[in-house]
Amino acid sequence: MDYFVIAFGSISDHKLYETIRNKHETYLIGDVVKTGKIIDAVSEGYAIGRIV
């Protein structure tokens, strides 16, 4: 199984997510969901990583 992470830019853009969410297991985390601290995004990423 292949995994990829896309993390760039400063403005949320869900176009790619909307395109692939029904074809692949997909998660939104960090500032794309809610502006917060980096530690929160890292924690969310870690939690998702443990799931997959």
Side-chain angles (χ1 to χ4, degrees), residues 17-26:
Y17 171 77
E18 294 299 330
T19 300
I20 67 172
R21 71 185 183 126
N22 292 322
K23 299 173 188 164
H24 303 281
E25 187 174 357
T26 320

Side-chain angles (χ1 to χ4, degrees), residues 5-43:
V5 175
I6 298 176
F8 59 88
S10 59
I11 299 172
S12 295
D13 182 349
H14 297 159
K15 285 183 238 163
L16 178 60
Y17 171 77
E18 294 299 330
T19 300
I20 67 172
R21 71 185 183 126
N22 292 322
K23 299 173 188 164
H24 303 281
E25 187 174 357
T26 320
Y27 301 91
L28 296 175
I29 65 166
D31 283 2
V32 73
V33 177
K34 177 184 171 196
T35 303
K37 297 181 179 178
I38 187 67
I39 191 66
D40 297 328
V42 170
S43 295

